[in-house]
Amino acid sequence: MAGRNGRTVRDLRRANRTAVLQRLYFDGPLSRFELGPATGLSSGSISNVVADLVADGLVEEAGSVDSDGGRPRTLLRVAPGSGHMIGVDVGETRVRVELFDLALTELARAERPLTPQRYDVDVITGHIRDGIAEVLAAAGPAPERLLGVGIGVPGIIEHTPDRGAVVHGQTIGWDAVPLEALLRTGSQLPDSVPYFIENGAKTLGQAEMWFGAGRGAGNAVVVLFGSGVGACLVTPEVERGRAVEWGHLTVRVRGRRCRCGALGCLEAYAGAESLLARWREEGGRPPRDTDEETALTAMLAAAYPPEGTDADPVALAVLEETAEYLGAGLSDLINLFQPERILIGGWAGLQLGSRFLPSVRRHATAYALRHPAQRVTIDLGRLGPDAVTVGAAILPLADFFTRGGRRAESDRQDRLPAWQTALEERRA
C-alpha cells in the first residue's frame, strides 16, 4: 500500500536498509546504539533492519566496545565477502580489469596492453571479456555473485532503451558504439549481472569523492590527465558526478589540431600525447618504440635531472608551457563552477603533478577570478593509477546500496532492458 507521499512499505524498508548499509560502510564498525542517531531511525527500526541484513549475510559482528555501566555493545560492519564487483579501465595504454570484494579490497587483476592510438572495438571488447574471465578464474567467486561490472571509457556515454550504453568516443574513433550490447554478445556472465558504463573521468571522480582526496567536499572537480584530459564535476545537484569534455575547451584560436579534429583544444596542448609530440617538434628526442608512460618518464628525467647535470632546455620549456595551459584550463573550471577542490589524477597527472603542481596552481590563480580562486584548493588525487577501476567498481556498489542491498529480481525477463530482450528474441 502506498502512503500519502506515494511511498510503499517496500520503499520504506529499502530506504532504511540503504541508510544502515551506507553508515556501516563509510563510518563502521558501529553499534546498534550508534546507528540510531547516525541514520535518524528509531531503535526498533534499527533492530529490524539489522536483523534482516544479518540474515541476508550482508552485515556481520566486528567485536564489541564497553558501554557506560552496561553490557558491552556489539559492533557491526558490512561483510566484505557478501558481494563482489568488477571494475574495468579502458585507458590509453592498456585495458585494466580488477575484481573487488564489497570492502573494495582487490582480489585479482588482469591487464591487456593496447597498441598506441588503436581502439579497435572488437579488440577492446575481447580484452574486457578475457580480463573478466581471468579475474574470476583467479579469485574463484561464482559469476552470479557479482553485483555488476563497472567500466570507465573515453568519450560521451548515452544510455538508450534499445541498445543499452552507447559510446560516442570521437578522439578514439568510436561513433555510437553499442558497447553494452557487444559485451553481452558472447559473454560468459549470467544475464542477471548488470553492466555500468560511464566516462573514465566520472569513475575517477566517483573514487576520489568516496575514498580519496574529495571526501567531505560538497563541490569539487576531479581532472583525469592521461593521453588526453577530461574532468568530472560533483555538486550537491550532481551528487554522483557528471563528466564534462573539458579537454575540448578551446584555449587557442586556430591553434594545434586536436585528435578530435578541432583546432586549439586544451587536449592538443596539455594531454600527454600532445606534450610528447611538442617535445619532438621542438627538437627534443623522446625514446622511440616505447609507450607514452615510458616516454613521459624520460621527458621528466630530461627536464629535471639529478643535481649537477644539465637539464634539457626544450623538455623543460614544453613542460612549463604545459603547466600554464593546464592552469588556464583550470581557471575556466574555477570561474564556471566555483568548486571547493580541484583534484588532479590519471597516470600522467600523477607523474607530472609532484613536479609542476605549484606552477599549475600559480597560473590557475592568475587566470581565474580572484574570489573563487581564493576559495579553491588544487591538489593531486590520493588513489593512484587504479582510481579509474576503483571508481568503475563503485558504480555497481552504489546501485546495490540504492536497492537496499538486494540483488536483481529473480524474474529474468522483468530484469532485462528492452534492447536485451529484443536480442534474446532474435536468438530464439
Side-chain angles (χ1 to χ4, degrees):
M1 179 180 293
R4 292 183 179 179
N5 59 3
R7 300 182 72 191
T8 65
V9 172
R10 182 177 179 181
D11 293 334
L12 182 60
R13 287 175 178 165
R14 181 172 59 242
N16 290 349
R17 285 169 61 100
T18 295
V20 171
L21 278 173
Q22 288 183 328
R23 288 284 61 78
L24 287 176
Y25 193 81
F26 290 109
D27 302 324
L30 297 171
S31 68
R32 290 172 176 81
F33 179 79
E34 293 170 310
L35 278 169
T39 61
L41 300 177
S42 68
S43 59
S45 294
I46 291 293
S47 295
N48 291 334
V49 171
V50 168
D52 284 346
L53 293 173
V54 170
D56 290 344
L58 293 174
V59 168
E60 62 186 15
E61 293 186 359
S64 61
V65 292
D66 293 333
S67 61
D68 297 333
R71 294 185 302 173
R73 291 180 180 139
T74 301
L75 294 175
L76 303 167
R77 69 173 184 177
V78 174
S82 59
H84 299 84
M85 302 83 65
I86 287 176
V88 180
D89 175 12
V90 179
E92 293 101 352
T93 59
R94 63 177 60 85
V95 173
R96 177 181 288 135
V97 181
E98 296 183 61
L99 175 70
F100 301 90
D101 66 14
L102 211 62
L104 283 173
T105 300
E106 181 191 310
L107 304 178
R109 76 160 57 197
E111 293 192 355
R112 300 288 189 275
L114 293 177
T115 302
Q117 301 178 343
R118 290 292 303 274
Y119 283 87
D120 183 85
V121 174
D122 291 337
V123 171
I124 297 295
T125 54
H127 284 340
I128 294 173
R129 288 196 205 98
D130 292 347
I132 289 172
E134 183 176 330
V135 297
L136 288 175
E144 59 269 17
R145 288 190 59 81
L146 283 176
L147 302 183
V149 178
I151 305 173
V153 297
I156 298 171
I157 314 303
E158 179 186 11
H159 297 279
T160 69
D162 56 335
R163 294 193 294 171
V166 174
V167 183
H168 302 272
Q170 190 167 323
T171 60
I172 60 173
W174 284 18
D175 183 14
V177 172
L179 184 59
E180 184 174 353
L182 292 173
L183 289 172
R184 288 285 184 190
T185 304
S187 172
Q188 300 301 309
L189 293 179
D191 291 325
S192 59
V193 177
Y195 286 86
F196 301 84
I197 300 173
E198 292 291 354
N199 177 276
K202 179 173 178 177
T203 69
L204 171 66
Q206 183 91 68
E208 289 289 349
M209 295 304 292
W210 274 36
F211 300 110
R215 191 168 184 185
N219 189 333
V221 175
V222 183
V223 171
L224 175 59
F225 181 12
S227 287
V229 292
C232 173
L233 169 69
V234 181
T235 69
E237 295 78 22
V238 193
E239 185 178 356
R240 291 193 182 176
R242 183 181 76 228
V244 291
E245 291 295 334
W246 175 60
H248 302 288
L249 180 114
T250 302
V251 294
R252 191 165 182 173
V253 176
R254 293 187 294 277
R256 291 174 56 86
R257 187 168 297 280
C258 178
R259 58 182 181 171
C260 76
L263 297 176
C265 294
L266 174 63
E267 189 168 291
Y269 295 90
E273 180 181 312
S274 62
L275 194 158
L276 292 167
R278 285 162 49 224
W279 184 28
R280 185 181 304 108
E281 291 165 8
E282 294 296 326
R285 296 183 179 180
R288 296 180 178 273
D289 302 321
T290 62
D291 59 37
E292 285 183 357
E293 294 185 37
T294 303
L296 188 60
T297 300
M299 185 179 187
L300 281 168
Y304 305 103
E307 189 174 350
T309 306
D310 291 337
D312 178 340
V314 175
L316 185 59
V318 171
L319 285 170
E320 288 178 347
E321 185 183 41
T322 299
E324 182 168 4
Y325 275 114
L326 271 177
L330 293 181
S331 75
D332 290 319
L333 296 176
I334 293 169
N335 291 342
L336 286 170
F337 304 118
Q338 301 179 31
E340 298 171 36
R341 302 177 198 174
I342 292 178
L343 307 173
I344 299 175
W347 65 266
L350 296 175
Q351 270 200 42
L352 294 170
S354 60
R355 286 290 187 179
F356 74 175
L357 188 58
S359 180
V360 170
R361 288 191 185 114
R362 186 172 65 254
H363 289 302
T365 301
Y367 282 106
L369 292 171
R370 184 168 56 253
H371 179 68
Q374 290 172 342
R375 297 163 60 89
V376 69
T377 60
I378 302 174
D379 291 299
L380 295 180
R382 294 179 185 165
L383 298 182
D386 290 343
V388 173
T389 47
V390 171
I394 287 174
L395 298 174
L397 179 60
D399 177 74
F400 184 61
F401 284 159
T402 299
R403 291 185 282 108
R406 298 194 184 280
R407 297 175 184 271
E409 297 292 335
S410 58
D411 187 335
R412 182 168 173 270
Q413 286 303 318
D414 286 347
R415 192 171 57 240
L416 296 178
W419 65 267
Q420 195 177 343
T421 302
L423 178 62
E424 293 295 306
E425 291 172 351
R426 285 199 298 273
R427 286 176 178 169

